[in-house]
Amino acid sequence: MSGPTKAMSVITVAALVLTTAYTVALGSSGWLWFGWVVLGVVTIGMAAADGAASPARGPGPGRPGPQP
């Protein structure tokens, strides 16, 4: 996982903790939970895109690219 994906994962978990604390303290808010679900889906999408892009990042330093 790349740095931005890890950061997004941390933000998603922190948002889950804060949303749960808000729900316990003040009552449920559908918009907060909806926002958290959207954030979770975006995080999963980032992780999937990051995982799919890892093997096909192209030639590394010192390796020639495709020959025309």
Side-chain angles (χ1 to χ4, degrees):
M1 240 193 291
S2 66
T5 305
K6 286 181 185 177
M8 189 71 163
S9 299
V10 169
I11 290 169
T12 302
V13 170
L16 174 62
V17 170
L18 291 173
T19 302
T20 303
Y22 183 92
T23 298
V24 169
L26 300 174
S28 183
S29 170
W31 285 110
L32 279 178
W33 286 106
F34 175 75
W36 184 82
V37 168
V38 169
L39 184 63
V41 168
V42 170
T43 302
I44 291 169
M46 282 181 66
D50 191 36
S54 293
R57 292 199 179 204
R63 286 189 249 159
Q67 300 298 321

